Amino acid sequence: MSPRPIIIDCDPGQDDAVALLMALASPEALKVLGVTCVAGNVPLERTQRNARRVCELAGRHDVPVFAGCPRPLLLPLGTAEAVHGQTGLDGSDLPEQSTMPLQDRHAVDFIIDTCLSAGENEVTLCPLGPLTNIAVAIVKAPQIVENIREIVFMGGAALGPGNRTPAAEFNIATDPHAAQIVMEAGAPLVMFGLDVTHTVITTPLRLEAIRNIGTRVSEAVGGMLSYYDRHDPERYGEPGAPLHDPCVIAWLLQPDLFRGKAVHVAVETNSPLTLGRTVADWWGVTNNPPNATVMDRADSDGFYALVIDRLSRL
Ligand code: RIB
Ligand code: CA
């Protein structure tokens, strides 16, 4: 079977970096058409540079990297240096600058051009940060939706609390208006929210197993994930940090690691109290047809076995 063509839209971020590495290590399964970057964890200048630094680490200078939107649609940009550090990849010992060129084309235009030149239901979009680029692409060229196979994204919280506010998860809270556009676009959605990402925790044993791969890549990832540890066992049930974004790539590679449910999901865009909340009709109490498969379970040991297997390939 030919590899699935994907575009990864991201805001690296240590967990974005691991997701990128896993995808780039799986050419037999995934054809990464391009990496598009958005402002989120850190400003765009950093996220686009970090994406190039990670592609370089993977030895994949062939993958084009594009800069996208530098801020959300309506809200001011709120970044997360407290979690990811000033560079967004703190803990890694990667060279500060990348030798890979940044593409001239805007990320939104790359997404549009790629989808328009593809066949029906051909391209999978994999957003790992705020959905600003995806939303602008859909608004600018709504006809791209028919050529999108799925939008498989990390974001939201269907059943549990948020992590940016009590109600909202960071990617959605950063740009709830973009998220609403994407949720309502009509493309098939697969949502990896905190409900499932909080079940894949990089515990000390798992971090040691990553470090024991003993390569340049594993050394860099070990440093990133050590920095990224939130030291909050009460929140996560065990020491370590959730490896959010790699869930998207892991599902593409090994879907049976996860379980989800087809439900209707909408985004709160008005209430100051719950702005950015992904409201899932989990028990079907409305007549709203399902628009997303929301993941709520993961085989965490199987997930980390896959993470280590793919990182070991680089
Ligand atoms: O809430 C977690 C998400 O926000 C992840 O994508 C992380 O990289 C940050 O972007
Ligand atoms: Ca991210």
Side-chain angles (χ1 to χ4, degrees), residues 11 16 41 128-129 245:
D11 63 334
D16 303 70
N41 286 321
L128 309 178
D245 294 336

Side-chain angles (χ1 to χ4, degrees), residues 3-5 10 83 107 119 130 135 178 181 209 231 299:
R4 182 194 276 230
C10 56
V83 174
I181 290 168
H231 311 292
D299 166 2

